[in-house]
Amino acid sequence: MTKPFVIALDGPAAAGKGTLAKRLAAHYNLAYLDTGSLYRAVGLAVLRAGGDPTDPAAATEAAKTLGHDLLSDPELRSAKAGDASSKVAAIPGVRAALFDWQRRFAAEPQPDVDGKKRSGSVLDGRDIGTVICPEAEVKIFVTASAEARANRRLKELQARGEEAIYARVLEDIRARDARDAARADAPMKAAEDAVHLDTSDLDIDQVFAKAKAIVEERLKR
Ligand code: CDP
């Protein structure tokens, strides 16, 4: 069997990875895994059990027993789950519990809605190009200024009906980026062979066009 084609998208909070990943997956007939939702689900599970997301034992247990239903919970995208996610994500036991699952997803063809096999996958997160899929054919590190990202996240939270103010969202994003970049285990980092894509001044179509050009360039090699 040929090795499935993998696109790894990494980068800081609210840089637009999810939207780009979905567009790329649809365009190239690839499966999509939002790895951040796994950490958000673990964070949410700990909060709902009344626990502390920085407690290694509670967070690791939640990661080991993570149920699939939680992965589609609307509360995953809340600010509260976002904050808890980067706390549980710093715990090595949590990362270890989620590692195999992510590797398997990237390695195995995923069935399409119509039963047709997809030819590979797009994974977005913080450590896809460095730790989860270091062998990925395409690696893109998606960035944007903290202000642009805070504006996008503010709109997303308000669209969900959450009360959110810009200054607080910006502060949360900065705190989460700092935690994600500073942790010892699989910190957020661009892989050496990743192409950097700054989306601060680009709309979705422009980001997609640039990413598509990066993929096409890699496919030529
Ligand atoms: O959507 P947003 O960019 O705000 O974040 P996310 O992708 O949903 O990820 C939530 C949190 O999960 C991040 O802040 C990281 O702490 C953690 N995460 C991680 O550690 N490794 C990944 N591969 C993906 C997410």
Side-chain angles (χ1 to χ4, degrees):
M1 200 179 82
T2 54
K3 189 164 76 93
F5 178 70
V6 173
I7 300 179
L9 299 182
D10 289 300
K17 301 182 299 287
T19 310
L20 174 59
K22 281 182 214 139
R23 290 274 303 256
L24 287 170
H27 185 79
Y28 291 107
N29 187 37
L30 303 169
Y32 167 50
L33 179 62
D34 166 11
T35 66
S37 68
L38 304 174
Y39 296 91
R40 285 174 176 268
V42 173
L44 196 57
V46 174
L47 291 179
R48 285 190 180 159
D52 173 359
T54 63
D55 172 10
T60 302
E61 183 55 26
K64 284 183 176 161
T65 56
L66 192 61
H68 270 259
D69 45 337
L70 206 57
L71 295 176
S72 51
D73 196 298
E75 223 192 327
L76 279 193
R77 299 301 312 166
S78 67
K80 196 172 80 170
D83 178 68
S85 66
S86 74
K87 291 179 176 157
V88 301
I91 297 167
V94 169
R95 305 201 74 85
L98 301 177
F99 181 85
D100 286 344
W101 203 84
Q102 296 174 80
R103 287 284 304 166
R104 259 200 312 278
F105 186 95
E108 286 165 15
Q110 305 293 323
D112 203 336
V113 263
D114 55 8
K116 192 174 71 189
K117 290 282 183 194
R118 291 188 186 252
S119 50
S121 51
V122 183
L123 282 83
D124 85 59
R126 304 291 185 286
D127 62 343
I128 308 304
T130 50
V131 174
I132 304 294
C133 298
E135 72 290 359
E137 282 81 357
V138 181
K139 298 179 187 177
I140 307 178
F141 196 76
V142 187
T143 56
S145 68
E147 291 75 13
R149 293 186 285 122
N151 265 317
R152 291 177 193 160
R153 185 49 45 91
L154 179 70
K155 285 195 192 119
E156 186 191 328
L157 291 171
Q158 286 172 340
R160 292 185 67 248
E162 245 187 87
E163 268 192 45
I165 54 164
Y166 175 80
R168 182 67 205 277
V169 173
L170 180 61
E171 195 183 305
D172 283 355
I173 278 185
R174 288 202 163 121
R176 200 140 61 84
D177 287 352
R179 265 202 302 268
D180 289 348
R183 68 176 175 236
D185 191 8
M188 167 175 70
K189 189 168 75 186
E192 272 176 27
D193 52 348
V195 179
H196 290 247
L197 177 54
D198 188 325
T199 69
S200 305
D201 302 315
L202 304 177
D203 66 24
I204 293 165
D205 289 339
Q206 291 168 320
V207 172
F208 176 62
K210 289 209 180 234
K212 202 155 78 78
I214 294 168
V215 175
E216 304 295 332
E217 188 56 41
R218 291 282 162 129
L219 286 175
K220 272 197 242 155
R221 289 187 194 169

